[in-house]
Amino acid sequence: MLDGRRILLVISGGIAAYKSLEVIRRLRERGADVRCLLTHNATQFVTPLAVQTLSGNKVFQDTFSLTDEHEIGHITLARDCDLVVVAPATANLLAKMAHGLADDLASTALLVTDQPILVAPAMNFRMWEHPATRANLATLKGRGIHTVGPNAGPLAEGESGIGRMAEPGEIVAAIEGLLAKGPLAGIKALVTSGPTFEPIDPVRFIGNRSSGKQGHAIATALARLGADVTLITGPVRLADPSGVRTIHVETAREMLGAALGNLPADVAVCAAAVADWTVSNASKEKRKKYPGAPPPAIELAANPDILATLSEAGSARPRLVIGFAAETEKVLEHAKAKLARKGCDWIVANDVSPATGTFGGDFNSVHLISASGTEDWPRIAKADVAERLAWRIADFLKPGGAE
């Protein structure tokens, strides 16, 4: 049930807007307090009067309404709720959200809200499959926005394909799932992400091309399922995930220290691309280049093995330790060897050779390897990889759970 939960429903301009009326009815039946915001185009498909009658609340439409701004204000409207739902979410509105546009009340509210957002896409199948829409959706998922649908079936234009908005029952079920206590409630999770930078001198370092997108997405997905998440990240150009405690480090030794300092934990996901070596003769001053002089010798030493250390942490060892294997050749062979060598429970293996676009990209194709075998996952958005992995973790950690 949704007794007392406050939901802001944004209805945008698509033929599927008529389904939003049934969504409102079902939410009210479950005890939710539903406020509705209509775009200008939405009023071409459903009337404000019908929406107001079903919701029992005033309908909001105009950014510059002096009455609305006096009574509640668009910022309060966007924040005074437990969840923002966009149904239908047109390709246009998804594009506005992805690019941070705020040219009407709906896009302004979506930009200013600090609450979780669930979108139910609805559009022609060619619009859904367009690279721009796919990229926009990947961007939004990377920011932690939830989705439900779309489904396959007949479309308004007489065509058929993927693009139908999820049915009202599916949308309400997704809302209940997001607002309910998650399956990882009470679970403490530790996630490492990004690269590590090993200094050569105060201005130079040894590093790698990891963007941290996959590790940050995993931290977000675990938090969504109710886990208490600590994210330890190397230097990345990503915002700290919402609802996650984030610790910023630079070197492998700093990352290991932070990881050990946050034990015990129930699950550890080592998604960081930790540098294998550090510079043992790092200079405290910038190394200078002189005409005719040979380059300075750089001496390397092995970095601590964070994954192996967590796997051998004795009584403080997490119940589930997951490592990542970023390979450029013989992906499964090397990953299976790493699983045996490190002593962890699962390895998530992926091909990061330049042709795949995995490093820095929004998509990934992985293999989940454990003692019971190998699962080959299709190429999907990194946010979807994270969500699928989070649910696998939840299944494993639940009472009686197994691989």
Side-chain angles (χ1 to χ4, degrees):
M1 298 297 288
L2 296 169
D3 290 334
R5 305 310 292 267
R6 299 164 301 171
I7 296 169
L8 175 62
L9 176 61
V10 177
I11 304 174
S12 63
I15 187 62
Y18 78 91
K19 292 183 180 180
S20 64
L21 300 178
E22 178 66 9
V23 172
I24 296 169
R25 187 186 69 79
R26 294 193 183 200
L27 290 174
R28 290 289 306 280
E29 284 181 345
R30 288 160 173 77
D33 177 17
V34 185
R35 285 178 173 168
C36 297
L37 190 163
L38 274 65
T39 67
H40 172 73
N41 288 340
T43 62
Q44 306 302 306
F45 299 96
V46 294
T47 67
L49 179 60
V51 173
Q52 180 171 311
T53 300
L54 286 171
S55 68
N57 282 316
K58 177 180 176 61
V59 174
F60 297 88
Q61 302 176 72
D62 187 357
T63 307
F64 300 106
S65 167
L66 294 178
T67 302
D68 291 349
E69 287 299 306
H70 175 72
E71 291 178 352
I72 187 168
H74 64 278
I75 293 179
T76 304
L77 176 68
R79 294 180 179 175
D80 188 24
C81 60
D82 298 302
L83 178 70
V84 180
V85 179
V86 186
T90 62
N92 181 59
L93 188 51
L94 291 174
K96 288 184 179 182
M97 293 171 66
H99 293 280
L101 301 182
D103 61 354
D104 62 4
L105 183 57
S107 55
T108 300
L110 289 163
L111 188 61
V112 79
T113 187
D114 55 1
Q115 300 303 317
I117 299 174
L118 171 69
V119 298
M123 63 197 73
N124 177 269
F125 77 98
R126 296 191 187 279
M127 297 173 72
W128 173 250
E129 293 173 354
H130 195 283
T133 302
R134 307 306 297 164
N136 289 336
L137 195 68
T139 295
L140 294 173
K141 285 186 174 183
R143 294 176 188 161
I145 288 177
H146 310 272
T147 62
V148 54
N151 297 336
L155 303 174
E157 304 84 353
E159 297 180 303
S160 184
I162 297 177
R164 286 176 60 90
M165 187 174 87
E167 295 304 316
E170 296 175 283
I171 295 171
V172 172
I175 292 169
E176 290 179 319
L178 287 171
L179 293 179
K181 197 173 182 180
L184 288 176
I187 294 297
K188 185 177 179 182
L190 179 66
V191 180
T192 66
S193 182
T196 64
F197 287 176
E198 309 298 327
I200 296 172
D201 60 29
V203 299
R204 302 180 181 92
F205 60 85
I206 295 174
N208 58 63
R209 301 180 189 276
S210 174
S211 67
K213 289 182 178 180
Q214 188 65 83
H216 279 54
I218 291 169
T220 298
L222 291 171
R224 266 192 229 138
L225 296 189
D228 177 8
V229 183
T230 297
L231 172 66
I232 305 169
T233 178
V236 296
R237 295 180 178 179
L238 299 173
D240 293 348
S242 177
V244 171
R245 176 174 176 251
T246 304
I247 300 172
H248 295 271
V249 299
E250 183 166 293
T251 68
R253 291 188 179 278
E254 291 171 349
M255 184 171 283
L256 175 61
L260 293 177
N262 280 277
L263 294 179
D266 297 288
V267 56
V269 183
C270 296
V274 181
D276 291 320
W277 300 284
T278 188
V279 179
S280 60
N281 64 335
S283 173
K284 293 182 179 181
E285 305 295 337
K286 179 183 175 182
R287 294 176 185 263
K288 304 297 290 183
K289 180 177 70 173
Y290 297 101
I298 296 176
E299 298 174 4
L300 301 178
N303 260 327
D305 192 320
I306 298 173
L307 177 59
T309 300
L310 293 178
S311 298
E312 300 169 357
S315 61
R317 186 193 193 275
R319 293 158 55 193
L320 180 61
V321 180
I322 304 170
F324 270 66
E327 306 291 347
T328 58
E329 61 172 349
K330 300 179 181 178
V331 175
L332 291 179
E333 179 183 336
H334 289 164
K336 290 177 180 178
K338 184 173 184 177
L339 178 70
R341 187 171 67 252
K342 303 289 188 178
C344 56
D345 302 297
W346 300 351
I347 285 285
V348 180
N350 59 349
D351 186 344
V352 297
S353 53
T356 66
T358 299
F359 267 148
D362 293 313
F363 293 84
N364 206 351
S365 177
V366 308
H367 311 274
L368 180 61
I369 303 169
S370 66
S372 61
T374 301
E375 296 179 20
D376 301 316
W377 294 1
R379 181 174 173 80
I380 52 180
K382 288 182 176 179
D384 292 332
V385 172
E387 186 170 354
R388 183 179 290 198
L389 182 62
W391 277 106
R392 289 285 280 107
I393 291 169
D395 288 341
F396 180 88
L397 293 179
K398 69 183 180 183
E403 292 183 51

